[in-house]
Each structure stands twice: as C-alpha cells, then as structure tokens.
Amino acid sequence: MQYNDIQQTLTTERLCLRLFNESDAATVTELCNNYNIYKSTLTLPYPYTLDCALSWIQHHRQNFEKEKHYEFAICDKATGTLYGAIALSCDHRYDHGEIAYWIGEAYWGDGYATEASQAMLHFAFHVKKFHRVYGRHFASNPASGKVLQKIGMTQEGVFIDHVKKEGQYKNLIYYGIVKGK
C-alpha cells in the first residue's frame, strides 16, 4: 500500500483510493440508489438522489484537511471506475476511529471492500498513528463481517436492538483491532 500525501490517495495492487470530486456525484447516485445497499448501511438515505451525493461529497476535503474524517472513493487503479467508498472516522482523544464502507452491488464479491479496508487500516495505523480501529455491521449483512475478519479484526460484541431501521430494531455486530496485536 502506498500513500501520496500531496494527492491524498492510497494505492493497492488493483485500487486507487482518492478523495471524491463533485464530478463523482452522478456515479455515486447511480450506485447508492439501490435498496440492497440502503438496507445494509446505517445512514444512507433511500431513494438516493443527486442532491444526496452532492451534499455528501461537499465536505469531504475539508473534513480530510481538518483530520475529522477520511472519506475515499474506491476506484479501479487502471480504469478509474468508481466501485464504492471507504471511510475512517477520527477520535483524536482516544487515538482510534471507525472504518466503514459500501460497494456498488454490481461489484460485490470481487474483494474490493477487503482490499480497500486493508489499505485503510494501514493508513490508520502507519500514517495517522491510530492505536485502535473498529467496525460494525448489521447482523443481516454477514458479508461485511467477513471483510472485517479478513483484515484481522476480532468480533468484540453484539449490540442487541441497537438501531432502528425501517421500523425494526437491528443488532449491530462490533469488531476491532489494536495496532500491533
């Protein structure tokens, strides 16, 4: 994994993780206006409109520069095709953050979430010097849990009926990893 601070990009074998641009909004809208992605994410609205995408992208660069939140587009390194997004929140008080991601349904099962998550974990521990990174997923989305396991995270617990989505309470499964352990 390589990190270019000037361009604010991460690169892996197949992927380029870069900041979103306003020009990505149409593709983000197309990928996110999908009920299967909506039901697997905590805060993504549905239906997902171009205004949703533009509003979401609007603060990414500022959040990155202020070290509040790192939000990257997951793109094919060779073609530039946008597959999804990956984010890392920052809590400087505790030297930790949460990793979160979504991948467009057409690209599920290709290992992009795992590859991007490995790069983000490296970024968190080696560039941003975090002590701990955690992730969480709905119990109804075990594929996301497999991604977290593949990058070395351990399941730490289940928060029973922790959130309400579509009028139903949902369990959130938490995973975590500490640098060097």
Side-chain angles (χ1 to χ4, degrees), residues 31 47 54 58 62 114 118 126 131-132 138 161 164 174:
L31 294 173
L54 289 168
Q58 179 180 355
Q62 181 181 355
T114 301
Q118 287 169 332
H126 300 286
H131 174 69
R132 172 180 155 71
F138 287 127
D161 289 351
K164 192 174 184 180
Y174 277 73

Side-chain angles (χ1 to χ4, degrees), residues 18 20 24-39 41 44-50 53 56 73-75 80-85 102-108 112:
R18 59 161 176 81
F20 279 92
D24 295 318
T27 304
V28 169
T29 302
E30 182 181 325
L31 294 173
C32 288
N33 193 32
N34 178 311
Y35 182 75
N36 290 324
I37 291 177
Y38 161 77
K39 72 181 185 179
T41 56
L44 199 74
Y46 185 81
Y48 196 92
T49 66
L50 183 61
W56 178 65
I74 301 172
C75 301
T81 301
L82 178 62
Y83 297 137
W102 60 262
I103 300 290
E105 187 172 11
Y107 307 110
W108 289 359
Y112 299 132

